[in-house]
Amino acid sequence: MQISALVVGATGIAGRGVSQELVDRGADVLGLSRKAEGLTKGVTHVAADLLDAEDVNKAVLGLTPTHVYFTTWSRQANEEENIRVNAGMVRTLLNALSRAGRVQHVALVTGLKHYLGPFDAYVKSGTLPLTPVREEQPRLDIPNFYYSQEDEVYEAAKRDGFTWSIHRPHTIIGKAIGNAMNMGSTLAAYASICKETGRRFKFPGSAAQWNGLSDMTDTRILAKQLVWASTNGLAKNGAYNITNGDIFRWSWMWPRIAKWFGVASEGFAGQIAPLEAEMASDAEIWRAMASKYGLVEADLWRVASPWHTDLDLSRPIEVMTDMAASRRLGFSAFQSTEDAFHDLFTTLRQDKVIP
């Protein structure tokens, strides 16, 4: 590919995915992150803290990327701070790159909280979105840092003349140590602890999630859509949902994950049983497992993020994603969600992240 790409958040779950896709397709790839640990092979590291405008200005000085893939965020204590910090990171980066005047396209990764509201806000309000969620649905009348990030991209695009695309995945599956939203690695760590201790692999979520339909997004599918939208003239200046293309019920998927790990599963037991509470005392167990099996990460909370898995699995409605917008324009990539889980678990085991 004859593009110069800058992947922002290159060591995260989405950033690693798009970095690999770009490298595989021959692009020149720069990866911006605070540390190089976890960077995809073939990517040139750009060290910068997006919370420090002066640091970002220095880091990108002399760089002339044509395509920018913004895949990171920073979790804050409340939505007001989420907006201030995360919109600020987008603004800081695009202002810094504006000086070179070479950016042709900016792709921003957000997610289904565009429709559901920030984390569990839609549950508290009692207002449930229509599903399947579609790109045509209007913004919710509540503060949301995704909206603020989008607005920063739109304003910079008007100023600098680049095209843009917005990508809204649903629960990304992929490898990234230290990622704040990582259901795949969280379930792998939980199942591994269950196997080590003889505990049952208990479903932590709601009846609606156990019985209802759902979908997910493999980081490889997200990566393909990011590159497709950023290099296809028909797809530019659009917002796109992105999932694997299949649907499932957790009542079907949960025991299949348990079988992969060789543990006994337990389904919905009449009430939500948060995984964060279930795993609260497991840090020392994991540390002992890391020593016993030679695992690369002894800190359980860099492998697992049960708080986020709880938010996904405790929803009071089934959540499905309509992908007609990109399908109409020719995006046809597909990935089995069960295979996505199995591929991730195999990779985590091979890389000694789990035993």
Side-chain angles (χ1 to χ4, degrees), residues 19 63 79 159 203 228 234 258 293 330:
S19 293
L63 302 182
E79 197 61 17
R159 178 190 68 204
F203 181 74
W228 166 80
L234 292 175
Y293 298 109

Side-chain angles (χ1 to χ4, degrees), residues 107-187:
L108 171 68
V109 176
T110 60
L112 291 201
K113 288 188 291 294
H114 182 94
Y115 311 105
L116 303 176
F119 296 116
D120 59 344
Y122 70 101
V123 178
K124 293 177 181 176
S125 69
T127 302
L128 303 179
L130 295 174
T131 58
V133 294
R134 293 180 169 88
E135 294 93 341
E136 66 193 36
Q137 291 173 214
R139 288 181 175 183
L140 302 175
D141 189 23
I142 54 176
N144 190 322
F145 81 85
Y146 284 172
Y147 304 161
S148 300
Q149 285 186 310
E150 287 184 359
D151 290 342
E152 293 293 341
V153 172
Y154 301 153
E155 286 301 312
K158 290 178 184 177
R159 178 190 68 204
D160 296 338
F162 58 73
T163 57
W164 52 267
S165 57
I166 309 296
H167 303 263
R168 299 168 185 159
H170 182 195
T171 308
I172 304 174
I173 309 171
K175 182 192 172 186
I177 304 303
N179 187 260
M181 301 188 296
N182 198 335
M183 181 187 286
S185 293
T186 298
L187 295 184

Side-chain angles (χ1 to χ4, degrees), residues 46-301:
V46 178
D49 182 351
L50 289 169
L51 300 178
D52 185 334
E54 184 177 353
D55 190 38
V56 173
N57 286 332
K58 291 179 180 178
V60 304
L61 185 64
L63 302 182
T64 56
T66 58
H67 291 62
V68 177
Y69 302 88
F70 200 98
T71 70
T72 192
W73 75 292
S74 177
R75 185 190 183 196
Q76 303 298 311
N78 54 57
E79 197 61 17
E80 181 181 0
E81 281 299 293
N82 277 333
I83 291 170
R84 182 185 68 81
V85 170
N86 289 285
M89 291 196 301
V90 175
R91 182 170 60 253
T92 293
L93 178 76
L94 296 183
N95 284 347
L97 292 174
S98 180
R99 297 177 177 86
R102 291 289 304 277
V103 176
Q104 298 174 17
H105 186 91
V106 172
L108 171 68
V109 176
T110 60
L112 291 201
K113 288 188 291 294
H114 182 94
Y115 311 105
L116 303 176
F119 296 116
D120 59 344
Y122 70 101
V123 178
K124 293 177 181 176
S125 69
T127 302
L128 303 179
L130 295 174
T131 58
V133 294
R134 293 180 169 88
E135 294 93 341
E136 66 193 36
Q137 291 173 214
R139 288 181 175 183
L140 302 175
D141 189 23
I142 54 176
N144 190 322
F145 81 85
Y146 284 172
Y147 304 161
S148 300
Q149 285 186 310
E150 287 184 359
D151 290 342
E152 293 293 341
V153 172
Y154 301 153
E155 286 301 312
K158 290 178 184 177
R159 178 190 68 204
D160 296 338
F162 58 73
T163 57
W164 52 267
S165 57
I166 309 296
H167 303 263
R168 299 168 185 159
H170 182 195
T171 308
I172 304 174
I173 309 171
K175 182 192 172 186
I177 304 303
N179 187 260
M181 301 188 296
N182 198 335
M183 181 187 286
S185 293
T186 298
L187 295 184
Y190 174 46
S192 298
I193 290 169
C194 288
K195 185 171 185 178
E196 183 74 10
T197 61
R199 285 152 51 184
R200 296 179 71 84
F201 185 61
K202 299 177 182 178
F203 181 74
S206 66
Q209 283 291 300
W210 180 254
N211 297 313
L213 294 171
S214 190
D215 50 28
M216 298 184 76
T217 307
D218 189 303
T219 186
R220 296 168 295 187
I221 285 289
L222 172 58
K224 290 181 185 301
Q225 194 194 63
L226 282 162
V227 175
W228 166 80
S230 65
T231 56
N232 183 325
L234 292 175
K236 292 175 180 178
N237 298 334
Y240 303 103
N241 292 334
I242 174 63
T243 59
N244 291 335
D246 63 355
I247 55 176
F248 64 91
R249 300 182 197 275
W250 279 107
S251 58
W252 177 84
M253 184 71 78
W254 195 258
R256 299 175 85 87
I257 293 175
K259 182 179 179 181
W260 196 94
F261 283 94
V263 295
S265 68
E266 183 175 312
F268 179 69
Q271 62 182 5
I272 293 173
L275 191 58
E276 189 169 22
E278 174 71 17
M279 298 181 69
S281 301
D282 287 342
E284 286 306 312
I285 294 173
W286 185 262
R287 192 170 298 279
M289 290 170 61
S291 176
K292 178 180 179 180
Y293 298 109
L295 305 184
V296 297
E297 180 54 68
D299 183 351
L300 175 60
W301 311 128

